[in-house]
Amino acid sequence: ESEDEPAEEPREPRIRETPEDIKLDAIVNTLAFHPKQDIFAAGDIDGDIYVYSYSCTEGESKELWSSGHHLKSCREVAFSHDGQKLFSVSKDKSVHLMDVEGGKLVTRIAKAHSVPINALLLVDENVLATGDDGGTLKVWDMRKGTSFMDLKHHDDYISGIAIDQAKRMLLTSSGDGTMGVFNIKRRRFELLSEFQSGDLTSVAIMKRGKKVVCGSSEGTMYIFNWNGFGATSDRFAVKAESVDCIVPITDSILCAASMDGVIRAINLLPNRVLGCIGQHVGEPIEQIARSRDSRFLASCAHDQMIKFWDISSLRDMTPWR
């Protein structure tokens, strides 16, 4: 052995553009990013919840903890605005509140609804809105563990919930083809939109609060004027099998995920598809989520994969005139 051969340099870990894919043991229904740290939560069809840290350094993303408290499929997860709590809802009809740091179950509302819960929105630190498979919307005071609104105006499942910046109007999208409008300040139902063709799968507020967009199972996006909730002001047919999940990225641009496994970037008004952000080839996408800095979009699909896509260029796009 010659002594003057240089020792091998340790290989620097590779830096990727996006975190590596994560493969789970079951189909993931729901994803949410932490508001302050490089952490995300995922809920799967077995009722398990996973919390991961993510990084662009190869091999650095890792599972922090997992929880099997739900008895059936976890349908939705959401972090509190301070990032210390994680809320989840399930097919088992329960609402759970967990401590993000250690994954400890803090509060369980076991029979929160009489049928499986499908949608969840955090209004503020203590107020939670939930929507179920039968079309009932409930709004909870988590300090008391009781609901102060319990209203059924939809004939089918509630697929999505959104709220305006003033925290006054709650909007619901439903499988019955309507959008529901609820006044949370006055604790009352306001109106349902006209029926649209297909299930409304998702709802988002865009254009600095002036427009509301709903995705549909037919692949059409329905656009409403704020305060003109009865009838659509515009519609846009995306050449996709369906628009199952929408996430606003800027005031005018959203990402839409579809049954065909493709995630598209879409500009609203003028309406046009800007391009494909990524895809799970041939696998229906369950949900997409945007990281706190709008750098990444994460997606989960029937391939049991969580994938990350770089969407940083969307923030810098000049709005289309």
Side-chain angles (χ1 to χ4, degrees), residues 106-167:
V106 181
T107 309
R108 172 193 276 141
I109 304 172
K111 292 189 172 70
H113 285 246
S114 56
V115 299
I117 307 172
N118 191 52
L120 161 71
L121 175 86
L122 203 55
V123 176
D124 67 29
E125 289 304 318
N126 302 301
V127 178
L128 195 66
T130 52
D132 70 26
D133 282 358
T136 295
L137 170 76
K138 290 193 179 190
V139 184
W140 301 84
D141 181 338
M142 287 306 286
R143 287 164 301 196
K144 299 184 181 138
T146 55
S147 62
F148 60 83
M149 283 173 77
D150 180 347
L151 298 165
K152 180 170 158 45
H153 292 274
H154 289 296
D155 294 330
D156 207 334
Y157 69 99
I158 292 177
S159 56
I161 311 174
I163 194 163
D164 65 336
Q165 269 199 302
K167 308 269 167 98

